[in-house]
Amino acid sequence: TNMAHGARSMQMANACWALADAYLRKQLADQAMSHCKKALQIVSLLKATDRDARAFEPTVLLTLGMCCTVRCKFQDARKWLNRALLAVEQMDGPDSSDKVLVYLGLSSMCQAEKNWEDARDYLIWAWEIQEDSVGQESIELSEIYMELGKVYLKLEDDNSSLDVYLRAMSCLLYTSPSPRDS
């Protein structure tokens, strides 16, 4: 990628981020951080003149936040995740559906901190945006409901947990193809 597109290209930023994402999926946050910071460095250089770089910046910031979450560096995680949220809002406005992923990241961070109330609030905000964006029945929404159900259990709110688990099942039943469709 470096020879074909240059060290300061969106292709290189994407390659660095993809490597960071692969490391993060393996819970290798230290390795992911260095590649993600390189991606951010490139994106930061390009974003003034490149719309793709501006659009990619929240993804890189979100990934940095998740790396810090895995490393239990919650203050740093919060900083990166809030920057991701601000970047999304600046680019797409306060009602952007792209905020869903950032809210899910913030919720994950709060869950790692065992801050169940804030984790719940971020999931509810993600739910509201996702529902407005794709309607009441989607696989993505069912995943939010299931995560929210786990958080409600931690908060010892069994009724709310049951409610969102039932919503998740309803979404999955609605979105799953019937055996005749296969």
Side-chain angles (χ1 to χ4, degrees):
T1 302
N2 190 8
M3 293 181 74
H5 300 286
R8 293 187 176 159
S9 66
M10 272 307 297
Q11 291 83 359
M12 182 58 81
N14 276 307
C16 290
W17 175 83
L19 189 54
D21 186 55
Y23 277 127
L24 186 58
R25 289 175 189 274
K26 297 288 186 186
Q27 299 293 303
L28 300 171
D30 291 334
Q31 293 91 329
M33 282 291 292
S34 64
H35 295 289
C36 207
K37 284 183 176 180
K38 178 67 176 168
L40 181 61
Q41 183 181 36
I42 295 168
V43 165
S44 295
L45 289 170
L46 298 174
K47 72 179 183 178
T49 58
D50 188 328
R51 174 134 173 65
D52 290 341
R54 283 190 301 279
F56 191 52
E57 183 181 36
T59 300
V60 176
L61 295 168
L62 173 60
T63 304
L64 283 165
M66 298 317 299
C67 287
C68 292
T69 297
V70 168
R71 296 170 74 205
C72 296
K73 302 226 180 248
F74 300 120
Q75 187 174 357
D76 291 338
R78 189 171 280 104
K79 174 187 78 168
W80 291 117
L81 293 168
N82 283 330
R83 279 184 61 187
L85 192 59
L86 181 62
V88 167
E89 288 176 346
Q90 287 174 339
M91 202 166 90
D92 298 328
D95 299 325
S96 172
S97 62
D98 290 336
K99 290 170 66 173
V100 169
L101 286 177
V102 181
Y103 283 146
L104 293 175
L106 284 159
S107 178
S108 292
M109 179 199 65
C110 290
Q111 289 177 58
E113 291 179 298
K114 301 191 182 337
N115 179 349
W116 305 114
E117 290 83 7
D118 285 352
R120 176 203 55 215
D121 293 346
Y122 285 122
L123 285 168
I124 289 171
W125 293 334
W127 161 14
E128 290 170 347
I129 293 169
Q130 189 71 23
E131 193 174 82
D132 287 346
S133 176
V134 298
Q136 294 184 347
E137 309 290 343
S138 74
I139 290 173
E140 296 83 2
L141 193 56
S142 72
E143 292 170 354
I144 294 170
Y145 288 146
M146 287 189 289
E147 196 63 28
L148 187 55
K150 287 189 255 180
V151 170
Y152 277 131
L153 285 175
K154 293 291 186 179
L155 290 167
E156 299 180 7
D157 185 346
D158 294 341
N159 289 335
S160 295
S161 181
L162 289 171
D163 177 58
V164 293
Y165 280 136
L166 289 170
R167 288 173 186 253
M169 286 180 60
S170 174
C171 286
L172 292 170
L173 289 171
Y174 181 81
T175 59
S176 297
S178 70
R180 287 174 273 142
D181 296 338
S182 303

